[in-house]
Amino acid sequence: MAESGGPEDQKPQSDEARSAFAPPAGTSHPASPPEEDHPTSEFALPTGVHQEPGVPAPSGSGSGGGTNSDTLSSAFTPPSTYKAQQAPPAFTPAQGSPMVRLTKEAPWQDRMRTMLRMPVTERPAPDTIQHTDDDTGPAVPRVLDLTLRIGELLLAGGEGAEDVEAAMFAVTRSYGLDRSEPTVTFTLLSISHQPSLVDDPVTASRTVRRRGTDYTRLAAVFRLVDDITSTDTEVSLEEAYRRLAEIRRNRHPYPGWVLTAAAGLLAGSASVLVGGGALVFVVAAAGAMLGDRLAWLCAGRGLPEFYQFTVAAMPPAAMGVALTLTHLTDIRPSAVITGGLFALLPGRALVAGVQDGLTGYYITASARLLEVMYFFIGIVAGVLIILYLGVQLGAQLNPEAKFIPNDRPALQILVSMTLSLAFAVLLQQERSTVLAVTLNGGVAWIVFGAMARTGDISPVAATAVAAGLVGLFGQLFSRYRYTSSLPYITAAIGPLLPGSATYFGLLGVAQNEVNRGLTSLSTAVATALAIAIGVNLGSEISRLFMGVPGAVGGASRRAAKRTRGF
């Protein structure tokens, strides 16, 4: 602290404590009373008492040997008797205070996730990366608005709540806003910023009205956040708003007819995966494309998604029942219906919901899983209506006709990759990621087939292991590309979805065999949970072993302990 200047220059101007006796602005200070009118300090040496050598005079002493009365000492100045060599150890918690150094080599997701999981008092001070032209600092309302808009696009695109909070936290810290706390729920985003301990916090919120699946837009938002958090790229607030507007205006990478064709390819590939032939492939594809067009029609009329799923599930089931009524022995109607279910099962929402629950965002997880339940009930309603009509018409639907064992491994590996490819197109992924996710889906099916078919291991356990590898590889791909892991994971789990178990459960219910139907449906639910948990576990394993580069003193390990106190 500089010693020059008056007393006003020596005292720190703290914004955290102001005297209640400070005169109002515009009034003059009262004249100081004469020196002899001042009260004598109780610590002053009495008259006639001499100070011993080596003992400092107490503060306020009237002795001439004391310190200069014009010199003001800080409350943080150590006493003159203080010696660093004899000082006691600093007071720290029993487990110690972590020292965190996060280097540029760590992806911003890991850096921000690490700080979000830390207590507020242990977070390092923000390092302003993006500077503004105004010397007074960034415009707080504009930074918060930009942060909410970025979070809205991520949440609407299906990103997990923890990653959305990490992105919002990264934007505010990059523009120099300390004491910012983002909060994400299923449809509501909010962020609070407190300039100092005595200032009122500034809070802004935004509601997510529409959600749509577009992983190309999701990847573009991740690139924007990566540029904002990078010291090598300068992104002003105006530039960030401009790029965000371009991301919103960009059209989807695939037109509507391509999406409809992809839905048919997905259903046809899934029907072959469970034992269908060429005719089954064509019929399943036709039923899925018809259901997709009907769902688009309902969406254009403003019907909720529940009814869209109900309507989309009817054509594949009707195709399967129609094939049963033809009494052809060389086809499998169950494969047609199963293929149509593969194209409708909400695997993306299921994985996101379970992931939010495993990471501690229970409100968002409950809302997402409730959404999955409504979608599933809509699918069940559409299929059950058609199956019930088929039973009344005399269709001989056989609930015992499980899919054919894996006697065509090469063909099934090929169609599993085709299924993942079609799923990637439906998710509006970038063309550069389609090949990686296609290979990831093929690996998932190879692992599942080797364990469940060749090794006679439980299909649920085999599904969990295969999904874990999908999550591991997807996380590695995302770390290499500095983007979201969803484009590399969601489509790859397509071959593992429980389409056949769902169909046979619904068929048992339709034929009044409730116990067998509920058993099959419980298997479908267990398989779905195994997929979601396996994906999350694979992602966490990749973070566990790769860690956060530059984290010292076990900070990354302690930061993961969020819900329990030890």
Side-chain angles (χ1 to χ4, degrees), residues 408-544:
R408 302 174 297 176
L411 177 60
Q412 292 197 336
I413 293 174
L414 179 61
V415 297
S416 66
M417 297 173 64
T418 306
L419 190 153
S420 298
L421 171 65
F423 205 170
V425 174
L426 283 176
L427 294 174
Q428 304 278 3
Q429 291 190 196
E430 292 181 304
R431 292 178 174 85
S432 59
T433 64
V434 171
L435 178 60
V437 74
T438 300
L439 296 176
N440 204 7
V443 171
W445 183 257
I446 291 174
V447 173
F448 172 79
M451 295 182 65
R453 307 290 178 80
T454 305
D456 291 332
I457 300 177
S458 169
V460 176
T463 301
V465 174
L469 288 178
V470 168
L472 176 62
F473 291 153
Q475 192 63 228
L476 294 178
F477 279 127
S478 67
R479 293 175 71 93
Y480 175 73
R481 298 290 297 272
Y482 285 80
T483 185
S484 173
S485 60
L486 288 181
Y488 302 98
I489 292 177
T490 307
I493 65 173
L496 304 176
L497 293 175
S500 58
T502 303
Y503 162 69
F504 289 115
L506 297 180
L507 181 59
V509 174
Q511 293 182 341
N512 204 22
E513 298 180 0
V514 180
N515 292 333
R516 180 163 49 190
L518 292 180
T519 301
S520 186
L521 287 177
S522 63
T523 302
V525 172
T527 304
L529 292 178
I531 292 174
I533 295 175
V535 166
N536 180 264
L537 181 61
S539 301
E540 293 295 335
I541 288 175
S542 68
R543 299 191 188 104
L544 175 65

